[in-house]
Amino acid sequence: MIIGIPREVMDNENRVSLAPSGAAELTRAGHRVMVERGAGEGSGYTDEHYAAAGASLAEGAAEVWGAAELIVKVKEPQPSEYGLFREGLLLFTYLHLAVEPKLALALMEKKVTAIAYETVSKDGALPLLTPMSEVAGRMAAQIGARLLEQQYGGKGILLGGVPGVKRGKVTIIGGGVVGMNAALIASGLGAQVVILEQSPDRIRQLQALFGRTVDTLMSDRESLEEHVAGADLAIGAVLVPGAKAPRLVDASIVKNMSPASVILDVAIDQGGIFETIDRKTSYTDPTYTRYGVVHYAVANMPGAVPRTSTMALTNATLPYVRLIAEQGIRGAVLASPPLAEGVNAAAGHLTHAAVARDLGLNSIPVQEALAR
């Protein structure tokens, strides 16, 4: 199979979907890997690295998209890339279609088979989302600590405090992979950390992991009002696979936060959980202030640490890329139920029920769509 690796075009997205080591494995297996020149530069990989791995180099995006049978990306296609879609193309990337209706319609119109990393599901886990959730969670605490510095609009406090001075408070909404990793770093910095979580079983797991270093509480309206309003840094870390994130924190809670506190919503890829975050931001312009509170809603946080992120993503996605390349999409989804869960669109139809529901559209089963 011809596998295309285009250069990412989202603002300050420096990751590449496949490290040279992954390209080498695919070429050894007899597949052709086409890499757009410069695609790996942001992650520290030169064109020469890919050439040495056996990949061929393409002069531009149109050449990659036009020749490849399978396009492997990092972030959802941007509007400038919609014109490169064509019938029969396989696309494997993060998609977040529940909050990207124009992208969903473009994929359906061109009858692209689109597989979303974030909905590949195995034994209740999300193996292709997990590595980037780990990165984003850890970064959330780091970035939040920096935004609390006065020159970035924050209240000028050190999360860990110093002897004789009160430490900062971090409230994390959601105790999944993102929330757990955010708590790991925030507690390591010495902050007072509270995780709000709805699952009693997950609360027990987190309590066993963190012991008394982190307070893990049931998430409800009362706890949100108390612990978000009282936080110096509030981190949104809630995920409903494939669907829009629930709006859990309304404007009245944000208004009660102290001036120059910080909100950082990792759930922004799926729409965000804070009512006062109504748009994505970017690394070029990452924050805005509303009700005196600094808001951060960058949708591609792991792109700031591209070397780590690219390696972690390649480790996770490569087995699935090989499966698709070796068996084709029909054979791959039959062989791998987790991959079948990842197919969001095929043959002009949506095939993921949660995505279709949030877009107000109908869905059909994956196997039915692929048989057309």
Side-chain angles (χ1 to χ4, degrees):
M1 183 175 281
I2 303 174
I3 302 160
I5 311 298
R7 186 170 188 161
E8 298 295 320
V9 298
M10 180 178 275
D11 178 56
N12 277 282
E13 180 50 74
N14 294 303
R15 289 172 288 182
V16 62
S17 59
L18 194 70
S21 59
E25 183 170 330
L26 291 168
T27 57
R28 283 195 298 268
H31 305 292
R32 182 184 174 195
V33 179
M34 292 184 65
V35 180
E36 183 180 352
R37 286 189 180 275
E41 288 178 352
S43 295
Y45 299 121
T46 66
D47 292 342
E48 289 72 24
H49 286 133
Y50 285 101
S56 59
L57 299 174
E59 294 301 324
E63 183 179 350
V64 176
W65 285 83
E69 298 164 88
L70 168 63
I71 290 287
V72 182
K73 278 177 49 62
V74 179
K75 290 301 292 178
E76 66 272 12
Q78 301 300 291
S80 63
E81 296 173 303
Y82 295 178
L84 299 170
F85 295 168
R86 68 179 193 279
E87 186 172 349
L89 180 69
L90 300 176
L91 174 65
F92 195 27
T93 187
Y94 290 114
L95 284 171
H96 305 292
L97 292 185
V99 293
E100 295 286 350
K102 291 181 180 178
L103 173 57
L105 292 173
L107 293 169
M108 294 166 65
E109 179 183 356
K110 294 295 185 179
K111 297 184 177 180
V112 174
T113 297
I115 310 109
Y117 294 157
E118 72 274 8
T119 62
V120 173
S121 178
K122 183 177 182 180
D123 299 326
L126 303 171
L128 305 189
L129 186 62
T130 293
M132 294 304 96
S133 295
E134 291 169 338
V135 172
R138 295 178 185 219
M139 288 187 67
Q142 293 180 188
I143 293 170
R146 176 58 59 88
L147 292 176
L148 282 168
E149 296 176 15
Q150 192 174 53
Q151 65 266 36
Y152 295 105
K155 56 178 64 174
I157 67 167
L158 184 66
L159 276 182
V162 293
V165 179
K166 184 180 177 181
R167 57 185 176 158
K169 178 176 180 178
V170 178
T171 297
I172 301 165
I173 306 153
V177 177
V178 170
M180 179 183 70
N181 279 274
L184 182 69
I185 300 303
S187 60
L189 291 172
Q192 176 192 358
V193 180
V194 175
I195 301 176
L196 303 180
E197 167 59 44
Q198 288 188 327
S199 166
D201 288 340
R202 184 58 177 167
I203 288 174
R204 292 186 183 95
Q205 292 170 359
L206 292 166
Q207 196 66 53
L209 174 65
F210 289 109
R212 295 183 178 276
T213 61
V214 170
D215 290 327
T216 308
L217 307 174
M218 181 62 68
S219 180
D220 53 28
R221 176 70 189 189
E222 183 178 351
S223 63
L224 287 168
E225 288 179 344
E226 177 182 354
H227 294 287
V228 173
D232 299 300
L233 168 62
I235 297 174
V238 173
L239 173 73
V240 180
K244 289 182 181 178
R247 286 295 174 94
L248 299 176
V249 182
D250 59 36
S252 66
I253 296 176
V254 175
K255 289 178 182 178
N256 285 330
M257 297 179 75
S258 60
S261 296
V262 173
I263 286 173
L264 190 153
D265 201 343
V266 184
I268 189 61
D269 265 331
Q270 295 293 120
I273 67 167
F274 294 88
E275 183 183 8
T276 51
I277 292 185
D278 53 11
R279 61 184 174 88
K280 296 178 182 178
T281 60
S282 68
Y283 276 115
T284 298
D285 187 18
T287 64
Y288 60 90
T289 300
R290 187 163 293 170
Y291 303 122
V293 176
V294 178
H295 289 60
Y296 179 99
V298 172
N300 58 325
M301 289 173 58
V305 287
R307 185 74 172 208
T308 296
S309 297
T310 291
M311 294 173 69
L313 189 60
T314 297
N315 292 341
T317 60
L318 186 58
Y320 293 96
V321 174
R322 283 202 62 171
L323 182 64
I324 296 169
E326 290 167 2
Q327 299 196 27
I329 188 60
R330 292 184 186 180
V333 299
L334 284 172
S336 173
L339 188 66
E341 290 289 325
V343 181
N344 280 202
H349 300 274
L350 293 178
T351 56
H352 194 283
V355 169
R357 181 185 64 245
D358 281 347
L359 290 174
L361 299 171
N362 296 320
S363 66
I364 66 174
V366 172
Q367 299 294 354
E368 180 181 336
L370 293 176
R372 296 191 176 192

